[in-house]
Amino acid sequence: MKNSNNLMTPGQVAKMSGVHINVVKKWIADGLLSAFRLPAGHFRIEQDEYRRFLSASGMPTPEALGDSADDSGQCRRILLIDDDQAQVELMKAFLEQQGFSIETALDGYVGLIRIGSFRPDLVFLDINMPRLDGIEVLDALFKQTASDSQIPLPNIIVMSGEQDPEVQQKLSEYPVADLIRKPFSLGGVLDSLKSIYSEVA
């Protein structure tokens, strides 16, 4: 039996998505959004299915839908900041399979904005990026959290193939959770996650 607390009506989905209910019904009819019928003929959508649909469609997750969390209530939001779009898409698909809620940014400037709006508890951060590089993002982020204790500081996993000793020295000044050397495998990503999320197998 499905948990009624996790079910949504097409009207609720429409309101959260900012569209007309007929648009939601078309999503269902076209097979884009999975739903099931009650004995009376009304549709119901599971929240996890709605989250999957939002992610697949590139739509933001409404705050009213709540955070993706594990059984202990631990937040499972991850932000990927990297200008390598192919790598970002690969990691996003992999992490979503692990049950994480994912947002992405293709440069450091947008990344800082997403940190403020998405409030991730973990950030994968590239170093060499346009507009703001990873070092500048770290500097801005730590200065911001130092001046405002109300802003939570996410865990940071740095992704870098940078060999410059000066960059290495700058990185050592920040308490990042881990450093993954590029190029890396998805297995390496999983190993880093285990140091932060105890439930990751």
Side-chain angles (χ1 to χ4, degrees):
M1 180 179 295
K2 298 181 184 294
N3 185 346
S4 60
N5 292 329
N6 293 325
L7 300 180
M8 305 175 67
T9 67
Q12 289 173 322
V13 170
K15 184 176 181 179
M16 285 191 179
S17 303
V19 300
H20 193 275
I21 189 172
N22 287 342
V23 174
V24 176
K25 290 180 178 179
K26 189 174 190 308
W27 290 341
I28 294 171
D30 291 345
L32 300 176
L33 179 65
S34 296
F36 65 95
R37 285 183 183 273
L38 297 175
H42 302 297
F43 283 113
R44 291 294 182 270
I45 301 100
E46 292 184 299
Q47 287 188 8
D48 285 347
E49 166 58 17
Y50 181 43
R51 288 191 180 94
R52 181 208 62 76
F53 168 79
L54 290 171
S55 177
S57 304
M59 298 169 64
T61 301
E63 291 185 4
L65 194 59
D67 293 336
S68 175
D70 61 21
D71 292 339
S72 66
Q74 185 178 20
C75 183
R76 291 170 60 93
R77 289 173 174 256
I78 295 179
L79 175 63
L80 307 176
I81 308 178
D82 193 336
D83 62 332
D84 186 337
Q85 187 166 0
Q87 179 166 284
V88 166
E89 291 176 355
L90 179 65
M91 288 184 65
K92 183 175 186 291
F94 174 73
L95 292 170
E96 286 176 341
Q97 289 177 353
Q98 307 301 314
F100 294 96
S101 177
I102 308 298
E103 286 284 344
T104 65
L106 296 178
D107 65 59
Y109 180 79
V110 174
L112 276 177
I113 295 174
R114 292 276 165 80
I115 288 173
S117 60
F118 184 54
R119 295 298 177 93
D121 65 318
L122 173 62
V123 175
F124 279 92
L125 177 66
D126 186 28
I127 294 300
N128 293 319
M129 294 183 293
R131 302 179 76 181
L132 283 179
D133 64 29
I135 297 294
E136 291 171 315
V137 170
L138 285 170
D139 188 55
L141 183 59
F142 279 91
K143 283 182 178 178
Q144 184 180 33
T145 54
S147 63
D148 187 349
S149 61
Q150 299 300 313
I151 299 176
L153 180 65
N155 291 295
I156 307 287
I157 295 179
V158 171
M159 307 177 293
S160 176
E162 183 61 63
Q163 300 296 325
D164 187 333
E166 184 176 346
V167 173
Q168 297 296 321
Q169 174 60 37
K170 288 181 179 178
L171 279 175
S172 68
E173 298 173 4
Y174 300 98
V176 298
D178 201 1
L179 171 62
I180 304 179
R181 294 290 182 187
K182 287 186 173 183
F184 54 80
S185 66
L186 293 178
V189 172
L190 196 60
D191 287 340
S192 287
L193 288 175
K194 289 177 182 178
S195 67
I196 298 172
Y197 298 100
S198 59
E199 79 280 5
V200 174

